[in-house]
Amino acid sequence: GHDIALAHDLNYPALFSNPGSIGFLYSVNGGMDSIIFRSSSDGGNTFKNRQVVAISYAQFHKVALAYGKSNSENTGRYFAAWEEKDDTIATLGHIYTAHSNPNFNSPFTTPVRLDGLDPSFDYLCRNPAIACQTNDMDNDSLNMSEIVLFEKFNPESEDFDIVGFYNKKAASSNDFTRLNIAVTPRNEIQPNIIFNQYDSSFMVTYFDSTAQKLPFLKKDLNLPSPDNWHVVTSGYNDDISLKTPRPKIALNHGLQKPCNVWVGNQSTGKGVALFDAVYIPSLGISDRSQFEMLTNLRVFPNPCSTILTITMDVKQEISVRAFITTLFGQDVVHISDITLRKGIHTITHDVSSLPAGMYMVINTSGEYSISTKLCVIK
C-alpha cells in the first residue's frame, strides 16, 4: 500500500447503514497497481464491502476520499480522487475521480481524468484533495456539489498553483468545470478542502511557500463566481519557517466550527504538530487571557441520573451560554444565558429526561468555549 484516506457519514447516515458508514480508500503498488475502496455499514465494526475502483500498469500514489449526500440524492455516496504517475520516480501525473453509485457500498463509476479536461493541465498535476456537499439540502442544480483540488505545475515559471474542477451535479453526471483557487506568481502547494455541513460552505487551506503563509478560504455550496473565494485569513500561522506543513481543516462538531492543524518546525529541525481555531487562540497569541476568563468547568455527579451541578470559575464579568450536546455536536438542552461576575458560580439542571448515554456540557462566551463530557444513566 502507498497511501490511504478515510471518510464517514457523521450526522447524515447512508442508506443501508446502521448506525452509519465509514469508508477508506487506498492505493496498492506492485505489478498492476490498484485503487481499493473498503466500507463498513455498521459504524466500523466490520468492513465487509470491497470495491476495486481502478487498476493500471502505471503507478497510483496519493488518494483522497469524501462522503456526499443531499436532499434529492439522499442514499449517500463516497467520492474518490487519486493521482497516477508513470513510475515511482515521476513527480507529476494525472488526477482521476469517481464515486460509488447509487449507494455507499455500490461499485464505483468509470473514472474521469480531470487533467484531460484542460490541455494545459495534461500530465502536470499531483496531490489531489476532494470534498463533497453533505447535508439535507439541494444546491441550485437540485443535486450536490463536489470539488477536487490539486497542484498544477507551471513549466515556464517552475512553480505550482492550486487549481481543480467542480461538479454541481456530482451524483448524476460528469459535468466538471475548471476552478482556480490560487493562481499567482508564488508557489502554492498542499491543498486541503472540506465541506462544512453546519453552514453549507466549502473551506480550503493550502501552503503558500513563497509567502510562508497558510491561507484559509471559504465559499458557498452553490459556488457563485467560482474563482473568487472569501479569504477568512491570508495566514493563520505565526511561524514563518515552514517546510512541509501539509495543513488540514477539520470540524469541531461540538461547536460546529472549523479548526486547523499543520506541521511546524522546531529549532532541532524536527516537526511539531500545531493547532489553531477561530474559537480558541493558539499558544503565544496575546489575547490568550480572554480565553482564561472562563475556566475550571466541572460537572457532578458524573455519571448523573437526575440533578446535574455545573461549576465554573469566572475571572471577570462575562456573559455565558450553557448547553448540552450529543457527542456529534447536536444541541439537546439549552441550560441558560446568564451574565456572571468574577468568582466561582454554580448552575443546576435536571437531566432525567435525557436518554442514557454520553453528552458534552459546553459553556461559551463570545468566541471562546470550555467543555467536558457527561454520562447520563438511568
Side-chain angles (χ1 to χ4, degrees):
H2 184 87
D3 193 30
I4 187 170
L6 297 102
H8 55 76
D9 61 7
L10 181 63
N11 294 334
Y12 297 94
L15 184 66
F16 307 126
S17 69
N18 184 22
S21 69
I22 297 174
F24 67 94
L25 186 78
Y26 59 98
S27 54
V28 179
N29 300 149
M32 290 192 68
D33 280 16
S34 303
I35 300 292
I36 306 296
F37 173 77
R38 299 292 299 269
S39 64
S40 168
S41 62
D42 53 13
N45 290 313
T46 60
F47 284 84
K48 297 180 179 179
N49 179 50
R50 181 182 186 272
Q51 302 288 344
V52 178
V53 180
I55 56 175
S56 175
Y57 284 109
Q59 297 281 313
F60 291 136
H61 290 269
K62 289 290 184 180
V63 299
L65 187 67
Y67 175 76
K69 189 176 183 181
S70 68
N71 180 56
S72 60
E73 302 294 343
N74 58 9
T75 59
R77 297 166 171 85
Y78 281 93
F79 292 75
W82 63 94
E83 64 182 11
E84 179 190 79
K85 300 176 181 179
D86 276 348
D87 51 50
T88 55
I89 63 173
T91 59
L92 302 171
H94 303 303
I95 302 295
Y96 287 86
T97 187
H99 65 270
S100 63
N101 193 56
N103 303 310
F104 82 96
N105 56 355
S106 301
F108 274 63
T109 57
T110 301
V112 177
R113 184 162 68 86
L114 294 177
D115 60 290
L117 302 178
D118 187 325
S120 67
F121 286 11
D122 191 32
Y123 218 83
L124 291 172
C125 306
R126 68 182 188 186
N127 198 17
I130 189 170
C132 193
Q133 176 184 344
T134 308
N135 55 20
D136 55 7
M137 301 172 55
D138 283 333
N139 62 18
D140 55 13
S141 297
L142 300 180
N143 208 288
M144 67 174 71
S145 302
E146 171 197 2
I147 298 179
V148 180
L149 300 181
F150 48 87
E151 301 172 13
K152 187 261 179 180
F153 183 66
N154 301 305
E156 299 81 9
S157 55
E158 297 187 343
D159 65 358
F160 284 91
D161 291 328
I162 305 297
V163 298
F165 289 85
Y166 69 92
N167 183 354
K168 293 173 65 175
K169 298 181 178 179
S172 56
S173 80
N174 291 325
D175 187 17
F176 287 94
T177 303
R178 178 174 168 172
L179 176 72
N180 295 321
I181 295 293
V183 181
T184 73
R186 301 190 297 272
N187 189 56
E188 293 115 348
I189 56 176
Q190 300 170 7
N192 181 241
I193 181 170
I194 67 168
F195 183 78
N196 185 341
Q197 56 188 237
Y198 300 109
D199 68 0
S200 297
S201 68
F202 288 97
M203 295 180 169
V204 170
T205 188
Y206 60 90
F207 178 33
D208 182 340
S209 67
T210 304
Q212 287 287 294
K213 289 293 186 180
L214 302 176
F216 185 8
L217 313 179
K218 186 175 181 179
K219 192 72 170 176
D220 176 78
L221 70 86
N222 291 311
L223 300 168
S225 303
D227 291 342
N228 297 315
W229 285 58
H230 170 60
V231 179
V232 178
T233 176
S234 60
Y236 50 82
N237 59 299
D238 297 319
D239 186 0
I240 57 172
S241 60
L242 300 174
K243 294 181 179 178
T244 311
R246 300 197 181 280
K248 306 293 182 187
I249 303 175
L251 284 176
N252 181 324
H253 291 275
L255 298 180
Q256 302 181 2
K257 294 181 179 181
C259 54
N260 303 90
V261 293
W262 69 100
V263 180
N265 298 317
Q266 299 184 87
S267 58
T268 60
K270 297 180 180 179
V272 56
L274 295 175
F275 168 90
D276 203 358
V278 295
Y279 52 86
I280 299 177
S282 61
L283 294 175
I285 297 297
S286 59
D287 60 358
R288 178 173 173 80
S289 60
Q290 297 180 18
F291 175 62
E292 293 175 343
M293 290 191 305
L294 181 63
T295 61
N296 298 330
L297 175 66
R298 296 181 61 240
V299 297
F300 58 89
N302 193 7
C304 183
S305 59
T306 54
I307 302 301
L308 177 71
T309 299
I310 304 168
T311 68
M312 71 200 86
D313 188 0
V314 176
K315 301 300 183 183
Q316 67 181 59
E317 182 174 307
I318 55 173
S319 296
V320 177
R321 175 177 178 250
F323 57 102
I324 298 175
T325 75
T326 68
L327 294 183
F328 302 120
Q330 299 160 323
D331 285 13
V332 293
V333 174
H334 173 245
I335 299 175
S336 70
D337 286 286
I338 189 171
T339 298
L340 300 176
R341 295 182 177 180
K342 180 179 179 180
I344 297 176
H345 295 266
T346 298
I347 300 174
T348 60
H349 185 79
D350 188 351
V351 297
S352 60
S353 62
L354 293 179
M358 295 298 298
Y359 296 87
M360 295 295 295
V361 177
I362 302 175
N363 287 358
T364 64
S365 178
E367 295 182 348
Y368 306 101
S369 70
I370 187 169
S371 62
T372 188
K373 285 185 178 180
L374 166 68
C375 177
V376 174
I377 59 175
K378 297 299 181 181

